[in-house]
Amino acid sequence: MAHKTYGNLIGGQWLPAQSGKTFLNINPADHSDIVGEFPDSAAADVDLAVAAAKKAYATWRLVPAPKRAEILFRAALLLSERKEQFAREMTREMGKVLTETKGDVQEAIDEAYYVAGEGRRLFGITTPSELENKFAMSVRMPVGVIGMIAPWNFPMAIPSWKLFPALVAGNTCVIKPAEDTPLSTYNLVQTLIDAGLPPGVVNIVSGYGPEAGAPLVEHPGVRAISFTGSSATGSLVAQRAAATFKPVSLEMGGKNAMIVMDDANLELALEGALWGAFGTTGQRCTATSRILLHKSIAAEFTSKLVARAAALRVGNGLDPAVEVGPQVNAQQIATSTEYVAIAIAEGAKLLTGGHPLTDGPCANGTFFAPTVFGGVTPTMRIAREEVFGPVVSLIEFSTFEEAIEIANSVEYGLSTSLYTKDVNRAFTAMRDLEAGITYINAPTIGAEVHLPFGGVKKTGNGHREGLGSLDFYTTWKAVYVDSSDKLQRAQIDNAE
Ligand code: UN1
């Protein structure tokens, strides 16, 4: 079947890249399936998109916030109607299984309902003035044009975490979707347009990081950047944005630990481990990539986990029997393969998997066998560095305190989890695990949109998506109204 060619969205028009260049979006489960052809954009396209966003900002910022929010409510309804179709297209471009891509679309729906409610809040604070007949208040103002760089692992949910709060607050946007998954951003934005979003309020520039992402970060017309991706790229983004003093929100890597205590419900922990480590083929920044096992349950847990991991059905995510889809591209397969070699060289014990899958249902794509390493020690690279694939490390410990110390010993701090029935330990872990997210008796994945999402250390730079995102997409303005009809001098006229 002939594939479809998509344009950039600039000021409401679908335009090819100025250079005429394109790239193909290919199904990672079946390389003969071309999902679409997208503009391979560069600085000239970014310039056009930023100009369109700037123009639209002049009127969008004046639309009352409750009216802006109504567009999001309508988009939520449309997304619900289109959920099945968008999920199928997302599985085709990204690979994860259909139940998960439906969850990804649902996360955008949840975000729309959550943040559209803010249209009638966006609360500021009024406070007494120190002077008579003077009124003091603080209001949230939009920031201006926001540049957004999105990852491929949550192709609709993560763009929605960025676009929706930015829009309700009155900003206009230029988004660069990941080159592996542009279609889901197109589907999301087309839905916003169908819900009534005016031209130019959201613009899409598709392409690669160095050619299309870097000019967006550096553009003087862009007031802030929201980025989700690797810590290595995030560091470049922050450094380049610093030259124009842009605020940057960074959501980056993780090396998320699940701690299983000796009193845990082991069957529950096992289910959680499989879902946390191999859901989304391990390609979540929240993926469970280290499982810390109390030594008294380690042998039993390990043998059960290995058996279950080896039995997972890997294949095309559109097949309802499949539990684990492909990795998104050959580069990710290369990274997983490289880390397997590193782990073996360090002395870790390969218990199952450890290689690409190239036969049967996996013959035409980029698949990797669910992989479990035992005998991992906390100092090994496989225990410290993000793989972003279906590879999990098992580490044994003797005491709860030691487990917390191991969990905290990495440079990342996104998500953590503890399986125990001991309420005292649960509360100690909630306090002492150095991470933006802690789960008790649940794996490290499964964040809900209305709680803060983000991490500490190398995972982030202090901003949060979900609860807290409006702090990034608005700027505070203090307003003083003096009704005294005379000059009143703060700090001076009322002083002793
Ligand atoms: C990610 O891990 O890259 O918490 C995002 C979760 C999802 C979002 C994950 N709701 O697992």
Side-chain angles (χ1 to χ4, degrees):
M1 202 175 77
H3 62 258
K4 208 170 145 185
T5 299
Y6 295 81
N8 284 327
L9 179 62
I10 294 179
Q13 310 268 82
W14 297 100
L15 300 178
Q18 297 294 293
S19 66
K21 285 200 218 162
T22 61
F23 65 90
L24 294 178
N25 179 0
I26 291 169
N27 182 340
D30 175 3
H31 289 173
S32 68
D33 178 25
I34 296 170
V35 180
E37 190 166 346
F38 289 83
D40 186 353
S41 310
D45 306 296
V46 171
D47 283 346
L48 289 178
V50 173
K54 240 174 143 168
K55 185 162 170 240
Y57 180 64
T59 45
W60 180 246
R61 72 185 183 91
L62 302 178
V63 174
K67 294 284 154 197
R68 295 194 293 249
E70 282 172 19
I71 295 173
L72 295 183
F73 281 124
R74 280 197 293 275
L77 290 173
L78 291 175
L79 284 171
S80 300
E81 286 169 16
R82 300 171 185 182
K83 182 169 164 179
E84 177 79 26
Q85 178 208 335
F86 285 175
R88 283 186 175 276
E89 290 183 350
M90 194 188 297
T91 294
R92 269 179 73 206
E93 72 172 349
M94 188 274 171
K96 62 186 173 183
V97 298
L98 194 56
T99 43
E100 290 191 38
T101 50
K102 283 187 197 162
D104 196 310
V105 179
Q106 184 60 45
E107 200 158 338
I109 296 167
D110 297 345
E111 176 73 21
Y113 282 125
Y114 166 55
V115 89
E118 288 299 329
R120 286 187 186 270
R121 286 189 288 268
L122 281 173
F123 295 134
I125 293 167
T126 58
T127 184
S129 164
E130 66 190 45
L131 294 158
E132 271 183 23
N133 295 314
K134 198 172 171 191
F135 193 87
M137 57 189 158
S138 42
V139 291
R140 286 184 185 272
M141 305 294 286
V143 176
V145 177
I146 315 281
M148 299 168 176
I149 298 177
W152 46 260
N153 65 338
F154 278 79
M156 188 169 287
I158 293 181
S160 83
W161 297 355
K162 300 181 187 309
L163 288 169
F164 294 175
L167 292 174
V168 83
N171 303 286
T172 58
C173 312
V174 177
I175 183 163
K176 188 196 91 60
E179 59 271 21
D180 286 300
T181 57
L183 181 56
S184 296
T185 291
Y186 280 64
N187 285 338
L188 182 68
V189 175
Q190 183 62 56
T191 303
L192 286 169
I193 294 168
D194 296 341
L197 194 78
V201 174
V202 173
N203 303 274
I204 307 173
V205 175
S206 71
Y208 294 84
E211 293 77 20
L216 186 60
V217 171
E218 287 169 355
H219 202 292
V222 173
R223 287 289 175 80
I225 293 286
S226 177
F227 167 84
T228 300
S230 70
S231 297
T233 307
S235 169
L236 290 177
V237 167
Q239 290 175 55
R240 292 194 176 196
T244 42
F245 304 108
K246 286 187 186 77
V248 186
S249 168
L250 303 171
E251 282 309 333
M252 302 172 290
K255 192 70 193 177
N256 312 293
M258 168 191 288
I259 301 171
V260 185
M261 292 303 299
D262 46 353
D263 68 343
N265 175 339
L266 281 196
E267 279 308 311
L268 183 70
L270 197 61
E271 289 286 334
L274 285 161
W275 173 229
F278 303 119
T280 325
T281 321
Q283 301 172 121
R284 297 195 191 206
C285 37
T286 50
T288 304
S289 55
R290 297 181 290 158
I291 303 178
L292 279 44
L293 298 170
H294 189 279
K295 66 175 188 322
S296 68
I297 51 94
E300 182 189 350
F301 189 93
T302 301
S303 65
K304 285 186 173 168
L305 179 73
V306 168
R308 296 278 299 270
L312 287 169
R313 285 179 298 258
V314 182
N316 189 321
L318 290 175
D319 175 348
V322 162
E323 294 160 290
V324 178
Q327 289 212 257
V328 76
N329 59 34
Q331 179 56 46
Q332 295 304 126
I333 294 286
T335 304
S336 297
T337 306
E338 188 191 335
Y339 271 101
V340 166
I342 290 168
I344 290 170
E346 286 177 314
K349 203 164 159 227
L350 179 61
L351 301 176
T352 183
H355 52 84
L357 295 170
T358 51
D359 295 331
C362 301
N364 288 326
T366 41
F367 293 91
F368 204 84
T371 300
V372 180
F373 277 105
V376 176
T377 62
T379 54
M380 290 180 183
R381 285 180 65 192
I382 195 68
R384 313 185 68 79
E385 297 175 19
E386 186 175 49
V387 179
F388 224 69
V391 180
V392 68
S393 296
L394 309 183
I395 302 171
E396 291 186 25
F397 66 87
S398 303
T399 65
F400 174 69
E401 291 70 26
E402 187 191 349
I404 298 280
E405 201 179 307
I406 296 169
N408 288 344
S409 69
V410 296
E411 289 181 297
Y412 295 106
L414 181 53
S415 188
T416 44
S417 135
L418 172 69
Y419 280 78
T420 186
K421 288 186 184 135
D422 181 333
V423 71
N424 294 354
R425 284 198 172 128
F427 273 85
T428 303
M430 284 149 59
R431 184 193 63 197
D432 289 348
L433 286 170
E434 292 172 6
I437 305 171
T438 294
Y439 292 90
I440 305 296
N441 294 324
T444 59
I445 67 175
E448 302 176 25
V449 296
H450 54 302
L451 278 83
F453 185 92
V456 299
K457 301 198 267 186
K458 246 174 106 174
T459 294
N461 63 342
H463 297 284
R464 290 291 181 269
E465 304 204 270
L467 178 67
S469 59
L470 287 173
D471 293 332
F472 186 72
Y473 294 112
T474 59
T475 181
W476 283 113
K477 176 181 270 191
V479 180
Y480 302 90
V481 182
D482 193 318
S483 54
S484 69
D485 258 347
K486 62 181 185 206
L487 174 67
Q488 297 202 85
R489 297 174 301 174
Q491 295 90 39
I492 294 171
D493 289 341
N494 261 352
E496 289 299 306

